[in-house]
Amino acid sequence: MAKFHIKTGDTVMIIAGTSKGNSGRVVRVIPKQQRAVVEGVNMITKHLKPTASNPQGGIEKMEAPIHISNLMVMDAAGIPTRTRREVGEKGQTVRISVKSGKPLAK
């Protein structure tokens, strides 16, 4: 399983694509496709067929996945930064902000 520089719940900034410059919270990460869904960013229109639970069907706005290479983690101060990994006090891996040198919040 690949390790990524982002996790679910991180605040990220989009650095490439049509949503460049926007930021939001990561809702989920899709490791097999190397993509992530960011809240309120990269919105698409999906046409839904009528089903038993939704007899009307209709058109719904939803977030589409974005490739992980187009995302940059924001540290606690709200500054986009690269990350590095270090071994913490109890032997666990901790993500560190390259710009500030401080650990990223979980």
Side-chain angles (χ1 to χ4, degrees), residues 11 72-81 97 99-105:
T11 303
M72 187 173 263
V73 178
M74 296 176 78
D75 62 7
I79 301 168
T81 180
S97 166
K99 280 196 177 172
S100 67
K102 296 178 183 174
L104 292 173

Side-chain angles (χ1 to χ4, degrees), residues 32-51:
K32 284 190 175 182
Q33 297 176 0
Q34 295 185 356
R35 293 180 175 267
V37 177
V38 181
E39 191 174 57
V41 178
N42 197 25
M43 299 300 286
I44 60 167
T45 304
K46 180 140 180 146
H47 294 257
L48 300 174
K49 280 182 156 181
T51 61

Side-chain angles (χ1 to χ4, degrees), residues 5-6 9-15 21-25 71-83 95 97 100 103-105:
H5 62 284
I6 63 166
D10 283 348
T11 303
V12 295
M13 177 174 275
I14 289 74
I15 58 172
N22 294 342
S23 60
R25 192 176 54 82
L71 302 175
M72 187 173 263
V73 178
M74 296 176 78
D75 62 7
I79 301 168
T81 180
R82 294 186 315 249
T83 59
R95 294 180 304 155
S97 166
S100 67
L104 292 173

